[in-house]
Amino acid sequence: MANPDGSHAGEAGTETVLSDDECWQFLREQEFGRLAFHLADEVHLTPINYAVDGRSLLFRTAPGSKLLGIVMNADVAFEIDHFSETSVRSVVVRGSARLLGEDEAHRAESVPLRSWVGQEKYNIVELVPSVVSGRRFGLNRPWFHQVPGHAD
């Protein structure tokens, strides 16, 4: 039976490993996630909007700590998730990021990748995955049934 978000979580408390194709489908359906990157001796976590281009992810960024961190250390992780009252889906991507040169930056024009804020962001970064993994969990949240007026 499908959940309101279209997922099929199964029974509460169950965990399902997503196939590679399911992970990529979920990545294509979403456009917002969190990027973890190194900057000097610290790990930073920042929200980004992104688009899938083949089997890699593209995002735009302005000059700053995120771009500096990626140029200094390409090792990154990226995560997206979605939850409803009955299920959670999560995909984690680990890989390397690189600033695309002018000869490749045009790739961002063929995918739905636009800046969410008023600031123009001309730097295009590609995240090339080495590992993509995903899980779907059925949730057991009994407190929802204890709230007066809460619909099942």
Side-chain angles (χ1 to χ4, degrees):
M1 182 170 158
N3 292 316
D5 68 0
S7 66
H8 297 272
E11 296 296 317
T14 62
E15 176 185 349
T16 303
V17 174
L18 300 178
S19 70
D20 192 58
D21 287 339
E22 288 174 312
C23 288
W24 281 102
Q25 180 61 36
F26 187 45
L27 285 163
R28 281 189 291 278
E29 292 169 358
Q30 305 298 311
E31 58 183 313
F32 180 79
R34 284 155 301 283
L35 179 74
F37 62 96
H38 301 273
L39 183 57
D41 60 349
E42 298 176 338
V43 175
H44 292 250
L45 185 65
T46 188
I48 61 168
N49 66 298
Y50 71 96
V52 174
D53 182 33
R55 291 283 174 143
S56 68
L57 306 177
L58 299 179
F59 64 92
R60 294 178 179 275
T61 188
S65 60
K66 181 175 21 180
L67 184 58
L68 179 60
I70 289 166
V71 169
M72 291 175 60
N73 185 338
D75 184 35
V76 297
F78 178 76
E79 188 263 346
I80 63 170
D81 54 42
H82 181 269
F83 73 95
S84 68
E85 290 183 11
T86 59
S87 68
V88 173
R89 283 185 294 169
S90 179
V91 169
V92 174
V93 177
R94 292 191 324 252
S96 60
R98 68 183 184 99
L99 177 63
L100 295 182
E102 288 183 30
D103 59 327
E104 292 183 279
H106 65 85
R107 290 173 44 200
E109 301 307 319
S110 62
V111 296
L113 181 62
R114 304 295 176 263
S115 177
W116 281 14
V117 296
Q119 176 186 10
E120 289 296 322
K121 297 181 177 184
Y122 297 106
N123 298 297
I124 309 299
V125 175
E126 178 182 34
L127 194 168
V128 178
S130 55
V131 176
V132 177
S133 61
R135 303 273 187 279
R136 181 175 31 247
F137 301 92
L139 297 179
N140 181 14
R141 296 164 70 178
W143 55 90
F144 277 131
H145 306 289
Q146 299 170 356
V147 177
H150 185 276
D152 287 351

